[in-house]
Amino acid sequence: MLLSQSKEELCFSCHGPSAKNSSIGKNSADIYSVLMKSSSHPVIQTSHLHQSGERLPDSAVGAQRHVSCFDCHNVHKAEKGSSIKGLKGYSGRGIRTKQANYEYELCYTCHSDQGTSSGAGGDVSLEFERINPSFHPVETFGKNSFVPSLRGNYTRSSIITCSDCHGNDDSLGPKGPHGSRYEPILKYRYVRTQGPESSSSYELCYTCHDRNSILNDQSFKAHKIHVVYNQISCGQCHSAHGSRFSPSLINFATAVVFPNSTGEITFMPMAQGRPRCYLSCHINGKAVEHKLNQTLTYSVNNRVLSQW
C-alpha cells in the first residue's frame, strides 16, 4: 500500500497529542493519549503483530494477544455515529456475520470462545447468553421484571452496550473503550473488594441504579446491611455481566463466600425482594453462617435494624 507512514503512525498523525496543532487534525480526538492510560487496549504495544486480512476470532493455537486500530475500525467505511461500519461480526457460539450490526458482535471477535484474549479474560459471550438465568441486557432485554432501582429512562425492556460501561473515564475526552484509569477500561470507579460504601466507590453501578433505592432496600430487604454496615462490595455478590447459574446476577466471589457447616452454598430467589442464601461468608475477618430456617438479625448499639 502507498502509505506515507506505518498504519498506526498514520492514524496517530490525526488522532495523537500533536493533532490539535496540525491543520489536518485540528478537530480530531487524541486517541493516542487515551491508549496510554493504565488500563487500555494494547494498540501501541501490540499493533505490529496485526496481519492484514487476519480472521477474528483468532483460533490459532498459541496466537499472541494483540489488537490494532483496524480490528475495531474500517478506515474507509467508518463514519460518525457508526464506528463499526464495514466490520465483520461474531455472535459467539461459532456464529459469524458479514457485518457487525451490534457493538457486542465486534467485541466478541476477541472476547469470546476463540478470541486471542479469551485466555486472559475468559469467554465473555457465555455470561450474556440468552438462556442464562440472568444477565445485563446486552444481547437482549433482561429477565428480571422487578428492578425498582433503575434510573432515568431505563426500564426492564432497555438494551445497553458494552461501551456503556467500558470506555474513557474522562467524560470530556474521546469516546469508546480505548483506555481508562479504571480497570478493565471502565468509565467509572467500581470497587470489587470489601470497604466503605460511597457514591464514588460504586459509581459504575450507580450510573444506572439509583443509590437511594438500593440503600432503602427497595429491591432487596438487606441491601443496606450488606453494603453499608458490613461493607460488602456489589462485586462480591453480583456478576457485572451475567450469571450462568442464578437470577439477579448472583455469582458469589469465592474468595469470601464458601459452604456453611452443612455444606450448603445456595442462593434461592424466594419472595420478591426477600431471597435466601445458605452459605458462609467472611465479614470483617469473621465467618458468618446463613443456614436453613435461621433468622439473621443485624443490630447496632443493641437496636435491631433488620431481620430476614
Side-chain angles (χ1 to χ4, degrees):
M1 289 184 287
L2 302 177
L3 298 179
S4 59
Q5 301 168 280
S6 68
K7 288 183 176 181
E8 261 67 29
E9 287 177 339
L10 191 60
C11 294
F12 295 138
S13 66
C14 286
H15 297 287
S18 62
K20 66 181 72 173
N21 299 318
S22 68
S23 59
I24 190 172
K26 60 183 179 181
N27 294 318
S28 299
D30 178 8
I31 302 298
Y32 182 92
S33 296
V34 182
L35 289 168
M36 290 298 292
K37 292 190 175 188
S38 57
S39 179
S40 67
H41 276 109
V43 172
I44 297 168
Q45 301 89 336
T46 67
S47 62
H48 64 281
L49 297 171
H50 177 84
Q51 300 293 320
S52 181
E54 68 182 9
R55 185 185 187 190
L56 295 176
D58 187 347
S59 58
V61 176
Q64 186 172 347
R65 182 174 183 259
H66 65 276
V67 63
S68 78
C69 302
F70 312 99
D71 290 324
C72 298
H73 303 287
N74 183 315
V75 296
H76 294 293
K77 294 184 178 181
E79 55 190 41
K80 186 175 182 179
S82 183
S83 62
I84 67 174
K85 187 176 180 179
L87 293 171
K88 294 180 180 179
Y90 186 64
S91 299
R93 287 76 75 182
I95 303 173
R96 300 176 185 273
T97 58
K98 292 183 179 180
Q99 164 64 52
N101 296 306
Y102 303 98
E103 184 186 76
Y104 73 83
E105 293 179 334
L106 175 62
C107 299
Y108 286 176
T109 59
C110 287
H111 299 280
S112 64
D113 49 350
Q114 298 179 38
T116 54
S117 69
S118 60
D123 184 355
V124 174
S125 69
L126 293 177
E127 298 174 332
F128 290 110
E129 279 195 310
R130 303 177 185 211
I131 61 172
N132 289 346
S134 58
F135 43 77
H136 266 121
V138 169
E139 291 191 16
T140 186
F141 57 84
K143 294 183 175 180
N144 190 354
S145 60
F146 180 66
V147 196
S149 65
L150 289 178
R151 294 183 59 185
N153 295 323
Y154 289 112
T155 70
R156 66 171 300 270
S157 298
S158 296
I159 301 292
I160 63 175
T161 66
C162 303
S163 60
D164 283 334
C165 293
H166 298 280
N168 192 355
D169 61 291
D170 178 5
S171 61
L172 300 179
K175 308 301 181 186
H178 300 107
S180 170
R181 59 179 166 153
Y182 302 127
E183 187 178 354
I185 316 183
L186 293 176
K187 294 169 70 172
Y188 308 101
R189 191 176 178 215
Y190 176 43
V191 176
R192 279 158 282 181
T193 55
Q194 280 189 346
E197 186 278 337
S198 70
S199 57
S200 63
S201 295
Y202 309 121
E203 185 181 12
L204 182 70
C205 305
Y206 291 149
T207 57
C208 296
H209 296 279
D210 182 78
R211 183 180 179 222
N212 289 327
S213 174
I214 295 294
L215 299 186
N216 284 324
D217 297 337
Q218 291 180 357
S219 51
F220 170 42
K221 299 306 179 184
H223 254 148
K224 189 170 185 176
I225 288 174
H226 283 75
V227 178
V228 176
Y229 298 118
N230 290 325
Q231 299 186 359
I232 296 172
S233 164
C234 306
Q236 291 179 319
C237 291
H238 300 283
S239 166
H241 291 150
S243 174
R244 302 178 65 188
F245 310 104
S246 301
S248 303
L249 302 181
I250 294 296
N251 189 21
F252 298 117
T254 56
V256 294
V257 176
F258 50 96
N260 61 21
S261 58
T262 59
E264 297 173 297
I265 182 168
T266 305
F267 170 81
M268 298 183 68
M270 307 295 286
Q272 184 170 276
R274 296 180 180 274
R276 299 290 306 204
C277 296
Y278 306 122
L279 46 81
S280 286
C281 57
H282 281 297
I283 298 177
N284 298 322
K286 297 180 181 179
V288 177
E289 285 210 339
H290 299 55
K291 290 196 255 184
L292 185 65
N293 298 324
Q294 176 189 34
T295 298
L296 298 178
T297 303
Y298 189 87
S299 62
V300 172
N301 297 327
N302 296 318
R303 181 169 62 90
V304 174
L305 296 180
S306 182
Q307 292 182 325
W308 78 98

PDB file of all heavy atoms in Angstrom, residues 22-54:
ATOM      1  N   SER A  22      -1.986  20.595  14.153  1.00  0.00           N
ATOM      2  CA  SER A  22      -1.825  20.411  12.714  1.00  0.00           C
ATOM      3  C   SER A  22      -3.087  20.837  11.992  1.00  0.00           C
ATOM      4  O   SER A  22      -4.183  20.793  12.545  1.00  0.00           O
ATOM      5  CB  SER A  22      -1.511  18.943  12.389  1.00  0.00           C
ATOM      6  OG  SER A  22      -2.634  18.133  12.661  1.00  0.00           O
ATOM      7  N   SER A  23      -2.939  21.246  10.759  1.00  0.00           N
ATOM      8  CA  SER A  23      -4.096  21.720  10.008  1.00  0.00           C
ATOM      9  C   SER A  23      -5.061  20.602   9.689  1.00  0.00           C
ATOM     10  O   SER A  23      -6.268  20.788   9.647  1.00  0.00           O
ATOM     11  CB  SER A  23      -3.620  22.383   8.706  1.00  0.00           C
ATOM     12  OG  SER A  23      -2.887  21.447   7.922  1.00  0.00           O
ATOM     13  N   ILE A  24      -4.545  19.363   9.512  1.00  0.00           N
ATOM     14  CA  ILE A  24      -5.402  18.241   9.114  1.00  0.00           C
ATOM     15  C   ILE A  24      -6.144  17.646  10.305  1.00  0.00           C
ATOM     16  O   ILE A  24      -7.240  17.110  10.172  1.00  0.00           O
ATOM     17  CB  ILE A  24      -4.585  17.141   8.393  1.00  0.00           C
ATOM     18  CG1 ILE A  24      -5.535  16.107   7.782  1.00  0.00           C
ATOM     19  CG2 ILE A  24      -3.614  16.460   9.351  1.00  0.00           C
ATOM     20  CD1 ILE A  24      -4.842  15.105   6.897  1.00  0.00           C
ATOM     21  N   GLY A  25      -5.551  17.750  11.481  1.00  0.00           N
ATOM     22  CA  GLY A  25      -6.171  17.064  12.614  1.00  0.00           C
ATOM     23  C   GLY A  25      -6.647  17.977  13.713  1.00  0.00           C
ATOM     24  O   GLY A  25      -6.850  17.531  14.839  1.00  0.00           O
ATOM     25  N   LYS A  26      -6.838  19.234  13.433  1.00  0.00           N
ATOM     26  CA  LYS A  26      -7.163  20.177  14.498  1.00  0.00           C
ATOM     27  C   LYS A  26      -8.487  19.881  15.184  1.00  0.00           C
ATOM     28  O   LYS A  26      -8.713  20.296  16.307  1.00  0.00           O
ATOM     29  CB  LYS A  26      -7.158  21.601  13.951  1.00  0.00           C
ATOM     30  CG  LYS A  26      -8.155  21.857  12.834  1.00  0.00           C
ATOM     31  CD  LYS A  26      -8.013  23.278  12.304  1.00  0.00           C
ATOM     32  CE  LYS A  26      -8.987  23.545  11.155  1.00  0.00           C
ATOM     33  NZ  LYS A  26      -8.831  24.917  10.618  1.00  0.00           N
ATOM     34  N   ASN A  27      -9.377  19.155  14.508  1.00  0.00           N
ATOM     35  CA  ASN A  27     -10.673  18.818  15.118  1.00  0.00           C
ATOM     36  C   ASN A  27     -10.746  17.348  15.527  1.00  0.00           C
ATOM     37  O   ASN A  27     -11.811  16.836  15.826  1.00  0.00           O
ATOM     38  CB  ASN A  27     -11.808  19.143  14.142  1.00  0.00           C
ATOM     39  CG  ASN A  27     -11.919  20.634  13.874  1.00  0.00           C
ATOM     40  OD1 ASN A  27     -11.801  21.437  14.790  1.00  0.00           O
ATOM     41  ND2 ASN A  27     -12.114  21.000  12.619  1.00  0.00           N
ATOM     42  N   SER A  28      -9.594  16.651  15.511  1.00  0.00           N
ATOM     43  CA  SER A  28      -9.571  15.219  15.794  1.00  0.00           C
ATOM     44  C   SER A  28      -9.352  14.945  17.281  1.00  0.00           C
ATOM     45  O   SER A  28      -8.778  15.769  18.002  1.00  0.00           O
ATOM     46  CB  SER A  28      -8.464  14.534  14.983  1.00  0.00           C
ATOM     47  OG  SER A  28      -8.691  14.686  13.600  1.00  0.00           O
ATOM     48  N   ALA A  29      -9.796  13.791  17.731  1.00  0.00           N
ATOM     49  CA  ALA A  29      -9.633  13.390  19.123  1.00  0.00           C
ATOM     50  C   ALA A  29      -8.258  12.765  19.329  1.00  0.00           C
ATOM     51  O   ALA A  29      -7.748  12.045  18.468  1.00  0.00           O
ATOM     52  CB  ALA A  29     -10.723  12.386  19.491  1.00  0.00           C
ATOM     53  N   ASP A  30      -7.659  13.025  20.475  1.00  0.00           N
ATOM     54  CA  ASP A  30      -6.352  12.465  20.820  1.00  0.00           C
ATOM     55  C   ASP A  30      -6.536  11.074  21.416  1.00  0.00           C
ATOM     56  O   ASP A  30      -6.624  10.899  22.631  1.00  0.00           O
ATOM     57  CB  ASP A  30      -5.638  13.400  21.804  1.00  0.00           C
ATOM     58  CG  ASP A  30      -4.282  12.863  22.251  1.00  0.00           C
ATOM     59  OD1 ASP A  30      -3.825  11.851  21.692  1.00  0.00           O
ATOM     60  OD2 ASP A  30      -3.693  13.467  23.174  1.00  0.00           O
ATOM     61  N   ILE A  31      -6.605  10.069  20.544  1.00  0.00           N
ATOM     62  CA  ILE A  31      -6.784   8.683  20.980  1.00  0.00           C
ATOM     63  C   ILE A  31      -5.493   8.125  21.570  1.00  0.00           C
ATOM     64  O   ILE A  31      -5.518   7.327  22.505  1.00  0.00           O
ATOM     65  CB  ILE A  31      -7.246   7.802  19.801  1.00  0.00           C
ATOM     66  CG1 ILE A  31      -8.554   8.334  19.203  1.00  0.00           C
ATOM     67  CG2 ILE A  31      -7.423   6.357  20.241  1.00  0.00           C
ATOM     68  CD1 ILE A  31      -9.722   8.333  20.145  1.00  0.00           C
ATOM     69  N   TYR A  32      -4.352   8.553  21.038  1.00  0.00           N
ATOM     70  CA  TYR A  32      -3.055   8.038  21.489  1.00  0.00           C
ATOM     71  C   TYR A  32      -2.904   8.203  23.004  1.00  0.00           C
ATOM     72  O   TYR A  32      -2.527   7.257  23.704  1.00  0.00           O
ATOM     73  CB  TYR A  32      -1.922   8.759  20.767  1.00  0.00           C
ATOM     74  CG  TYR A  32      -0.542   8.259  21.128  1.00  0.00           C
ATOM     75  CD1 TYR A  32       0.074   7.253  20.386  1.00  0.00           C
ATOM     76  CD2 TYR A  32       0.152   8.785  22.226  1.00  0.00           C
ATOM     77  CE1 TYR A  32       1.335   6.791  20.726  1.00  0.00           C
ATOM     78  CE2 TYR A  32       1.410   8.324  22.571  1.00  0.00           C
ATOM     79  CZ  TYR A  32       2.001   7.325  21.815  1.00  0.00           C
ATOM     80  OH  TYR A  32       3.249   6.863  22.166  1.00  0.00           O
ATOM     81  N   SER A  33      -3.197   9.377  23.519  1.00  0.00           N
ATOM     82  CA  SER A  33      -3.028   9.644  24.950  1.00  0.00           C
ATOM     83  C   SER A  33      -3.969   8.787  25.790  1.00  0.00           C
ATOM     84  O   SER A  33      -3.621   8.371  26.902  1.00  0.00           O
ATOM     85  CB  SER A  33      -3.268  11.130  25.246  1.00  0.00           C
ATOM     86  OG  SER A  33      -2.285  11.925  24.607  1.00  0.00           O
ATOM     87  N   VAL A  34      -5.164   8.502  25.268  1.00  0.00           N
ATOM     88  CA  VAL A  34      -6.107   7.640  25.999  1.00  0.00           C
ATOM     89  C   VAL A  34      -5.580   6.207  26.036  1.00  0.00           C
ATOM     90  O   VAL A  34      -5.704   5.508  27.046  1.00  0.00           O
ATOM     91  CB  VAL A  34      -7.508   7.686  25.356  1.00  0.00           C
ATOM     92  CG1 VAL A  34      -8.492   6.823  26.138  1.00  0.00           C
ATOM     93  CG2 VAL A  34      -8.023   9.113  25.290  1.00  0.00           C
ATOM     94  N   LEU A  35      -4.963   5.764  24.938  1.00  0.00           N
ATOM     95  CA  LEU A  35      -4.398   4.412  24.887  1.00  0.00           C
ATOM     96  C   LEU A  35      -3.211   4.251  25.826  1.00  0.00           C
ATOM     97  O   LEU A  35      -2.804   3.119  26.134  1.00  0.00           O
ATOM     98  CB  LEU A  35      -3.968   4.074  23.458  1.00  0.00           C
ATOM     99  CG  LEU A  35      -5.096   3.836  22.451  1.00  0.00           C
ATOM    100  CD1 LEU A  35      -4.547   3.793  21.036  1.00  0.00           C
ATOM    101  CD2 LEU A  35      -5.850   2.552  22.762  1.00  0.00           C
ATOM    102  N   MET A  36      -2.640   5.353  26.292  1.00  0.00           N
ATOM    103  CA  MET A  36      -1.509   5.298  27.215  1.00  0.00           C
ATOM    104  C   MET A  36      -1.955   5.226  28.674  1.00  0.00           C
ATOM    105  O   MET A  36      -1.117   5.161  29.572  1.00  0.00           O
ATOM    106  CB  MET A  36      -0.622   6.532  27.011  1.00  0.00           C
ATOM    107  CG  MET A  36       0.135   6.545  25.693  1.00  0.00           C
ATOM    108  SD  MET A  36       1.281   5.149  25.537  1.00  0.00           S
ATOM    109  CE  MET A  36       2.494   5.583  26.787  1.00  0.00           C
ATOM    110  N   LYS A  37      -3.266   5.206  28.934  1.00  0.00           N
ATOM    111  CA  LYS A  37      -3.751   5.108  30.305  1.00  0.00           C
ATOM    112  C   LYS A  37      -3.457   3.723  30.881  1.00  0.00           C
ATOM    113  O   LYS A  37      -3.158   2.781  30.152  1.00  0.00           O
ATOM    114  CB  LYS A  37      -5.245   5.425  30.360  1.00  0.00           C
ATOM    115  CG  LYS A  37      -5.552   6.890  30.039  1.00  0.00           C
ATOM    116  CD  LYS A  37      -6.995   7.254  30.325  1.00  0.00           C
ATOM    117  CE  LYS A  37      -7.232   8.740  30.105  1.00  0.00           C
ATOM    118  NZ  LYS A  37      -8.564   9.182  30.541  1.00  0.00           N
ATOM    119  N   SER A  38      -3.561   3.609  32.212  1.00  0.00           N
ATOM    120  CA  SER A  38      -3.139   2.390  32.908  1.00  0.00           C
ATOM    121  C   SER A  38      -3.904   1.146  32.479  1.00  0.00           C
ATOM    122  O   SER A  38      -3.380   0.034  32.518  1.00  0.00           O
ATOM    123  CB  SER A  38      -3.271   2.583  34.425  1.00  0.00           C
ATOM    124  OG  SER A  38      -4.594   2.943  34.776  1.00  0.00           O
ATOM    125  N   SER A  39      -5.154   1.305  32.084  1.00  0.00           N
ATOM    126  CA  SER A  39      -5.941   0.183  31.572  1.00  0.00           C
ATOM    127  C   SER A  39      -6.375   0.532  30.155  1.00  0.00           C
ATOM    128  O   SER A  39      -7.038   1.545  29.940  1.00  0.00           O
ATOM    129  CB  SER A  39      -7.168  -0.072  32.450  1.00  0.00           C
ATOM    130  OG  SER A  39      -7.942  -1.144  31.951  1.00  0.00           O
ATOM    131  N   SER A  40      -5.971  -0.269  29.193  1.00  0.00           N
ATOM    132  CA  SER A  40      -6.256   0.092  27.804  1.00  0.00           C
ATOM    133  C   SER A  40      -6.180  -1.123  26.901  1.00  0.00           C
ATOM    134  O   SER A  40      -5.641  -2.171  27.271  1.00  0.00           O
ATOM    135  CB  SER A  40      -5.254   1.139  27.304  1.00  0.00           C
ATOM    136  OG  SER A  40      -3.954   0.569  27.229  1.00  0.00           O
ATOM    137  N   HIS A  41      -6.733  -0.975  25.713  1.00  0.00           N
ATOM    138  CA  HIS A  41      -6.451  -1.945  24.662  1.00  0.00           C
ATOM    139  C   HIS A  41      -5.008  -1.702  24.205  1.00  0.00           C
ATOM    140  O   HIS A  41      -4.655  -0.561  23.906  1.00  0.00           O
ATOM    141  CB  HIS A  41      -7.421  -1.773  23.488  1.00  0.00           C
ATOM    142  CG  HIS A  41      -8.723  -2.482  23.682  1.00  0.00           C
ATOM    143  ND1 HIS A  41      -9.912  -1.823  23.910  1.00  0.00           N
ATOM    144  CD2 HIS A  41      -9.023  -3.809  23.686  1.00  0.00           C
ATOM    145  CE1 HIS A  41     -10.891  -2.715  24.047  1.00  0.00           C
ATOM    146  NE2 HIS A  41     -10.383  -3.920  23.930  1.00  0.00           N
ATOM    147  N   PRO A  42      -4.170  -2.747  24.168  1.00  0.00           N
ATOM    148  CA  PRO A  42      -2.730  -2.549  23.933  1.00  0.00           C
ATOM    149  C   PRO A  42      -2.371  -2.311  22.462  1.00  0.00           C
ATOM    150  O   PRO A  42      -1.551  -3.027  21.879  1.00  0.00           O
ATOM    151  CB  PRO A  42      -2.130  -3.849  24.457  1.00  0.00           C
ATOM    152  CG  PRO A  42      -3.193  -4.874  24.203  1.00  0.00           C
ATOM    153  CD  PRO A  42      -4.500  -4.158  24.438  1.00  0.00           C
ATOM    154  N   VAL A  43      -2.965  -1.303  21.870  1.00  0.00           N
ATOM    155  CA  VAL A  43      -2.723  -0.999  20.460  1.00  0.00           C
ATOM    156  C   VAL A  43      -1.276  -0.584  20.231  1.00  0.00           C
ATOM    157  O   VAL A  43      -0.596  -1.095  19.327  1.00  0.00           O
ATOM    158  CB  VAL A  43      -3.681   0.110  19.976  1.00  0.00           C
ATOM    159  CG1 VAL A  43      -3.311   0.570  18.573  1.00  0.00           C
ATOM    160  CG2 VAL A  43      -5.116  -0.385  20.006  1.00  0.00           C
ATOM    161  N   ILE A  44      -0.795   0.321  21.045  1.00  0.00           N
ATOM    162  CA  ILE A  44       0.553   0.852  20.861  1.00  0.00           C
ATOM    163  C   ILE A  44       1.601  -0.244  21.036  1.00  0.00           C
ATOM    164  O   ILE A  44       2.597  -0.296  20.325  1.00  0.00           O
ATOM    165  CB  ILE A  44       0.804   2.017  21.837  1.00  0.00           C
ATOM    166  CG1 ILE A  44      -0.158   3.162  21.527  1.00  0.00           C
ATOM    167  CG2 ILE A  44       2.247   2.493  21.781  1.00  0.00           C
ATOM    168  CD1 ILE A  44      -0.205   4.245  22.580  1.00  0.00           C
ATOM    169  N   GLN A  45       1.344  -1.166  21.984  1.00  0.00           N
ATOM    170  CA  GLN A  45       2.316  -2.206  22.293  1.00  0.00           C
ATOM    171  C   GLN A  45       2.275  -3.384  21.321  1.00  0.00           C
ATOM    172  O   GLN A  45       3.291  -4.043  21.100  1.00  0.00           O
ATOM    173  CB  GLN A  45       2.093  -2.727  23.712  1.00  0.00           C
ATOM    174  CG  GLN A  45       2.212  -1.670  24.801  1.00  0.00           C
ATOM    175  CD  GLN A  45       0.901  -0.954  25.097  1.00  0.00           C
ATOM    176  OE1 GLN A  45       0.002  -0.885  24.247  1.00  0.00           O
ATOM    177  NE2 GLN A  45       0.782  -0.418  26.302  1.00  0.00           N
ATOM    178  N   THR A  46       1.114  -3.696  20.751  1.00  0.00           N
ATOM    179  CA  THR A  46       0.988  -4.961  20.001  1.00  0.00           C
ATOM    180  C   THR A  46       0.481  -4.823  18.573  1.00  0.00           C
ATOM    181  O   THR A  46       0.341  -5.831  17.880  1.00  0.00           O
ATOM    182  CB  THR A  46       0.045  -5.921  20.753  1.00  0.00           C
ATOM    183  OG1 THR A  46      -1.292  -5.391  20.735  1.00  0.00           O
ATOM    184  CG2 THR A  46       0.490  -6.133  22.194  1.00  0.00           C
ATOM    185  N   SER A  47       0.191  -3.621  18.112  1.00  0.00           N
ATOM    186  CA  SER A  47      -0.410  -3.487  16.780  1.00  0.00           C
ATOM    187  C   SER A  47       0.489  -4.017  15.673  1.00  0.00           C
ATOM    188  O   SER A  47       0.011  -4.407  14.600  1.00  0.00           O
ATOM    189  CB  SER A  47      -0.762  -2.027  16.499  1.00  0.00           C
ATOM    190  OG  SER A  47       0.399  -1.213  16.509  1.00  0.00           O
ATOM    191  N   HIS A  48       1.795  -4.076  15.933  1.00  0.00           N
ATOM    192  CA  HIS A  48       2.721  -4.575  14.901  1.00  0.00           C
ATOM    193  C   HIS A  48       2.501  -6.066  14.609  1.00  0.00           C
ATOM    194  O   HIS A  48       2.956  -6.575  13.587  1.00  0.00           O
ATOM    195  CB  HIS A  48       4.172  -4.346  15.338  1.00  0.00           C
ATOM    196  CG  HIS A  48       4.565  -5.109  16.573  1.00  0.00           C
ATOM    197  ND1 HIS A  48       4.216  -4.689  17.844  1.00  0.00           N
ATOM    198  CD2 HIS A  48       5.254  -6.270  16.728  1.00  0.00           C
ATOM    199  CE1 HIS A  48       4.692  -5.547  18.736  1.00  0.00           C
ATOM    200  NE2 HIS A  48       5.307  -6.519  18.084  1.00  0.00           N
ATOM    201  N   LEU A  49       1.787  -6.758  15.495  1.00  0.00           N
ATOM    202  CA  LEU A  49       1.507  -8.177  15.282  1.00  0.00           C
ATOM    203  C   LEU A  49       0.307  -8.402  14.357  1.00  0.00           C
ATOM    204  O   LEU A  49       0.050  -9.525  13.937  1.00  0.00           O
ATOM    205  CB  LEU A  49       1.250  -8.859  16.627  1.00  0.00           C
ATOM    206  CG  LEU A  49       2.422  -8.857  17.615  1.00  0.00           C
ATOM    207  CD1 LEU A  49       1.973  -9.354  18.974  1.00  0.00           C
ATOM    208  CD2 LEU A  49       3.576  -9.697  17.084  1.00  0.00           C
ATOM    209  N   HIS A  50      -0.419  -7.339  14.083  1.00  0.00           N
ATOM    210  CA  HIS A  50      -1.606  -7.439  13.228  1.00  0.00           C
ATOM    211  C   HIS A  50      -1.218  -7.833  11.805  1.00  0.00           C
ATOM    212  O   HIS A  50      -0.241  -7.324  11.236  1.00  0.00           O
ATOM    213  CB  HIS A  50      -2.330  -6.093  13.211  1.00  0.00           C
ATOM    214  CG  HIS A  50      -3.524  -6.059  12.302  1.00  0.00           C
ATOM    215  ND1 HIS A  50      -4.769  -6.512  12.686  1.00  0.00           N
ATOM    216  CD2 HIS A  50      -3.668  -5.609  11.032  1.00  0.00           C
ATOM    217  CE1 HIS A  50      -5.618  -6.352  11.691  1.00  0.00           C
ATOM    218  NE2 HIS A  50      -4.981  -5.797  10.682  1.00  0.00           N
ATOM    219  N   GLN A  51      -1.974  -8.755  11.240  1.00  0.00           N
ATOM    220  CA  GLN A  51      -1.766  -9.184   9.855  1.00  0.00           C
ATOM    221  C   GLN A  51      -2.944  -8.719   9.015  1.00  0.00           C
ATOM    222  O   GLN A  51      -4.097  -8.924   9.391  1.00  0.00           O
ATOM    223  CB  GLN A  51      -1.645 -10.712   9.768  1.00  0.00           C
ATOM    224  CG  GLN A  51      -0.491 -11.303  10.562  1.00  0.00           C
ATOM    225  CD  GLN A  51       0.858 -10.910   9.994  1.00  0.00           C
ATOM    226  OE1 GLN A  51       1.044 -10.878   8.782  1.00  0.00           O
ATOM    227  NE2 GLN A  51       1.805 -10.604  10.874  1.00  0.00           N
ATOM    228  N   SER A  52      -2.656  -8.096   7.902  1.00  0.00           N
ATOM    229  CA  SER A  52      -3.727  -7.624   7.030  1.00  0.00           C
ATOM    230  C   SER A  52      -4.604  -8.787   6.598  1.00  0.00           C
ATOM    231  O   SER A  52      -4.119  -9.826   6.144  1.00  0.00           O
ATOM    232  CB  SER A  52      -3.121  -6.940   5.793  1.00  0.00           C
ATOM    233  OG  SER A  52      -4.147  -6.468   4.955  1.00  0.00           O
ATOM    234  N   GLY A  53      -5.915  -8.645   6.782  1.00  0.00           N
ATOM    235  CA  GLY A  53      -6.848  -9.698   6.391  1.00  0.00           C
ATOM    236  C   GLY A  53      -6.988 -10.808   7.401  1.00  0.00           C
ATOM    237  O   GLY A  53      -7.644 -11.817   7.128  1.00  0.00           O
ATOM    238  N   GLU A  54      -6.386 -10.663   8.588  1.00  0.00           N
ATOM    239  CA  GLU A  54      -6.491 -11.735   9.578  1.00  0.00           C
ATOM    240  C   GLU A  54      -7.944 -11.934   9.988  1.00  0.00           C
ATOM    241  O   GLU A  54      -8.742 -11.001  10.002  1.00  0.00           O
ATOM    242  CB  GLU A  54      -5.639 -11.432  10.804  1.00  0.00           C
ATOM    243  CG  GLU A  54      -6.111 -10.265  11.646  1.00  0.00           C
ATOM    244  CD  GLU A  54      -5.186  -9.996  12.821  1.00  0.00           C
ATOM    245  OE1 GLU A  54      -4.101 -10.586  12.885  1.00  0.00           O
ATOM    246  OE2 GLU A  54      -5.555  -9.177  13.680  1.00  0.00           O
TER     247      GLU A  54
END
